[in-house]
Amino acid sequence: MAKITFIQPDGSKQVVEATVGQTVMEAAKLENVPGIEAECGGACACATCHVYIAEGWREKTGAPSEMEEDMLDFAFDVRTESRLCCQIKVTEELDGLIVQVPAKQF
Amino acid sequence: MTMVQDRPPGQIIETDVVIIGAGPVALFAVFELGLLDIRAHLIDILDKPGGQCAELYPEKPIYDIPGLPVVTGQELTDRLMEQIKPFDPTFHLNERVDEISKHDDGRFLLKTDVGTCFLTKVVVIGAGGGSFTPKRPPIDGIEAYEGTSVHYSVRRMEVFRDKNILIVGGGDSALDWTLSLQPLSKSLTLLHRRDDFRAAPHSVEKMREMVAAGDMRLMIGQLSCLHGNDGLLESVTVKTKEGEERLPVDTLLPFFGLTMKLGPIADWGLNLEENLIPVDTEKFETSEPRIFAVGDINVYPGKLKLILSGFHEAALMAQKAHKYIYPDKKLLFQYTTSSSSLQKKLGVR
């Protein structure tokens, strides 16, 4: 298990218990985290599960793949800490992960 | 297969069934209807058959199609197109059904956004997640400029003559329109969030040549704010690594891909549950008799949004559609493995 904290644009926090092997998007969808839309269902084909990885966690989540980087073109207000959370697999290492939900998905 | 491009306006197409959508389930509905001697017209907003499979994940493998351990979205589309070939469906692409109304004789009158009209006995809605529409950048107040200064597609290039144009995006649409509109624009800037482009390499190369020649400008950054009055854009704020820059432009073309929206279906008077169409599980008929809904767009207890579930729904729908279209004909249940009449329809020799 890994605890993942989702921070909304208004500052409110939601902690989700994620299972190793799930994606961060799946864990968020199971707990209905607002702002994680995942229109395409996790196929890296829509950019509606865009999140910002908090300081200090970027090394553990890694950088986006080329395909994900291409898909990030379809997200809004992309930053260096941007990821599509359907492409982040939950591992024990990610226990405590903090991500910020953007003000708007497309 | 018949692809309809241009047709004289005002002509009404009379048919037994119109299928709204051309995704995998809509395509398979052509097959099931075809076996029962019902020929279909399909209408889809995209420029090609295949729906989400062809538009969102043509290259991605699907693992849960019975009998096909792995197949990509495009391969599945191609195979379905091959499978329905004997039934010669007519495709009306780049069209969206805007209105459905009941005709005096009980048939339905359908009208598309480009004015094509259909008079049909049965309607099958296989519209998946709704119609694909261009993504609107979530910038405050952008709606006010849409249609005047902000455009999501190019229908007539002349509209853009002598304009100060900003194109946003890094895919083929953004690059293609950059190359096509630059010669007639007053000024053109292409804005993309990174100096890497998904678009075809030769168009990227051409764009870079135009930048080098001073014919246009390439900016790396992101759009953050629009400024103008009465629907007329005067400038935009662009965030770049160096900071913010105000760019005087009067025309904005954002290309951020497509998203699915239910669209006009919401206005057809059908019962809806959270943007889905409730159906029964015997015939997959909606609250309106003779209008069916199959695939991702429908909902019923236990519904799974799987392509294979949609195939099953299409088969049962066809049985009931047959009753509406041929009320006097008795339907004999047959297998394609053994029925010579079905095999004849399929062109088996």
Side-chain angles (χ1 to χ4, degrees):
Chain A
M1 294 295 255
K3 281 193 166 63
I4 301 173
T5 305
F6 291 86
I7 304 176
Q8 293 294 328
D10 66 2
S12 63
K13 290 178 186 172
Q14 186 176 352
V15 181
V16 167
E17 292 259 358
T19 313
V20 170
Q22 270 180 337
T23 65
V24 172
M25 178 279 280
E26 287 166 341
K29 286 296 278 183
L30 282 170
E31 297 297 327
N32 295 314
V33 174
I36 304 295
E37 290 170 21
E39 204 174 78
C40 79
C44 195
C46 75
T48 59
C49 65
H50 177 205
V51 295
Y52 304 119
I53 307 295
E55 195 76 54
W57 285 97
R58 271 167 243 160
E59 249 168 53
K60 283 182 180 148
T61 54
S65 68
E66 196 181 324
M67 176 177 74
E68 182 182 340
E69 195 68 66
D70 277 354
M71 202 40 67
L72 276 167
D73 284 352
F74 294 119
F76 196 70
D77 196 7
V78 179
R79 306 173 193 166
T80 45
E81 61 267 32
S82 285
R83 288 292 311 267
L84 297 178
C85 65
C86 73
Q87 300 301 303
I88 307 172
K89 272 259 181 336
V90 176
T91 57
E92 295 288 356
E93 253 207 311
L94 291 186
D95 187 23
L97 174 68
I98 301 166
V99 303
Q100 174 107 36
V101 179
K104 284 163 183 169
Q105 302 278 7
F106 251 100
Chain B
M1 181 180 82
T2 314
M3 292 282 180
V4 172
Q5 299 298 342
D6 292 300
R7 193 180 317 94
Q11 188 195 337
I12 293 183
I13 299 167
E14 291 195 43
T15 177
D16 287 332
V17 54
V18 169
I19 301 174
I20 301 170
V25 172
L27 295 180
F28 195 66
V30 171
F31 182 84
E32 290 294 336
L33 290 163
L35 286 180
L36 308 183
D37 298 316
I38 303 164
R39 198 175 163 275
H41 283 256
L42 297 94
I43 307 168
D44 199 287
I45 184 106
L46 294 177
D47 59 0
K48 55 188 174 292
Q52 292 182 50
C53 280
E55 179 64 32
L56 286 186
Y57 48 90
E59 310 283 329
K60 298 222 164 91
I62 309 170
Y63 299 101
D64 61 352
I65 304 297
L68 297 174
V70 53
V71 64
T72 66
Q74 190 56 50
E75 279 166 1
L76 180 65
T77 303
D78 294 344
R79 284 177 173 230
L80 284 161
M81 289 298 282
E82 190 188 332
Q83 196 168 20
I84 65 176
K85 219 173 173 180
F87 304 115
D88 191 31
T90 306
F91 286 85
H92 306 263
L93 299 172
N94 293 310
E95 288 190 50
R96 185 185 67 201
V97 178
D98 276 353
E99 293 167 33
I100 293 189
S101 57
K102 208 122 179 225
H103 198 250
D104 299 339
D105 61 6
R107 287 185 292 174
F108 297 100
L109 185 66
L110 273 66
K111 207 170 168 187
T112 73
D113 59 338
V114 297
T116 314
C117 290
F118 297 84
L119 204 48
T120 181
K121 291 175 188 161
V122 164
V123 176
V124 179
I125 305 173
S131 52
F132 277 96
T133 44
K135 281 188 181 176
R136 163 192 284 162
I139 299 172
D140 287 334
I142 191 166
E143 294 92 333
Y145 300 102
E146 287 172 356
T148 46
S149 297
V150 174
H151 306 270
Y152 299 103
S153 61
V154 177
R155 293 225 171 193
R156 278 181 51 240
M157 280 175 48
E158 262 317 294
V159 173
F160 300 95
R161 184 172 292 281
D162 297 328
K163 298 284 187 192
N164 295 303
I165 304 173
L166 176 66
I167 293 180
V168 192
D172 282 317
S173 305
L175 269 288
D176 289 351
W177 287 120
T178 295
L179 303 182
S180 304
L181 294 178
Q182 187 281 329
L184 47 94
S185 69
K186 192 166 174 190
S187 75
L188 190 140
T189 304
L190 173 66
L191 172 66
H192 187 42
R193 73 171 183 95
R194 54 184 178 137
D195 201 7
D196 253 321
F197 294 83
R198 303 182 312 284
H202 67 269
S203 14
V204 178
E205 210 173 290
K206 260 198 179 154
M207 178 273 293
R208 292 202 192 276
E209 279 168 20
M210 279 160 53
V211 173
D215 296 332
M216 61 165 284
R217 182 176 173 196
L218 169 65
M219 267 181 102
I220 306 303
Q222 294 181 79
L223 198 58
S224 70
C225 207
L226 308 183
H227 316 277
N229 280 306
D230 299 326
L232 297 176
L233 193 63
E234 285 158 12
S235 65
V236 300
T237 304
V238 174
K239 266 193 214 164
T240 66
K241 263 193 189 142
E242 290 76 38
E244 288 194 343
E245 184 176 331
R246 190 120 164 198
L247 196 67
V249 293
D250 48 43
T251 303
L252 172 65
L253 287 158
F255 292 108
F256 285 96
L258 302 171
T259 184
M260 285 169 290
K261 292 257 183 293
L262 187 62
I265 293 176
D267 309 321
W268 295 347
L270 300 170
N271 286 346
L272 292 178
E273 267 174 33
E274 290 181 11
N275 281 347
L276 297 167
I277 306 175
V279 290
D280 66 76
T281 50
E282 183 193 344
K283 315 174 298 288
F284 300 92
E285 202 165 15
T286 67
S287 57
E288 176 72 38
R290 293 170 178 263
I291 300 184
F292 298 84
V294 293
D296 282 1
I297 194 112
N298 77 13
V299 66
Y300 52 82
K303 167 74 183 183
L304 286 180
K305 283 192 185 185
L306 292 178
I307 293 171
L308 71 96
S309 307
F311 289 168
H312 159 82
E313 295 161 15
L316 269 64
M317 169 282 294
Q319 297 287 313
K320 181 66 179 179
H322 182 271
K323 288 202 175 84
Y324 285 132
I325 292 160
Y326 301 114
D328 304 326
K329 268 197 208 167
K330 214 173 159 201
L331 193 57
L332 179 69
F333 178 70
Q334 299 178 95
Y335 293 105
T336 55
T337 42
S338 53
S339 159
S340 55
S341 85
L342 290 186
Q343 289 178 2
K344 201 175 152 198
K345 291 172 199 175
L346 289 166
V348 179
R349 284 174 204 196

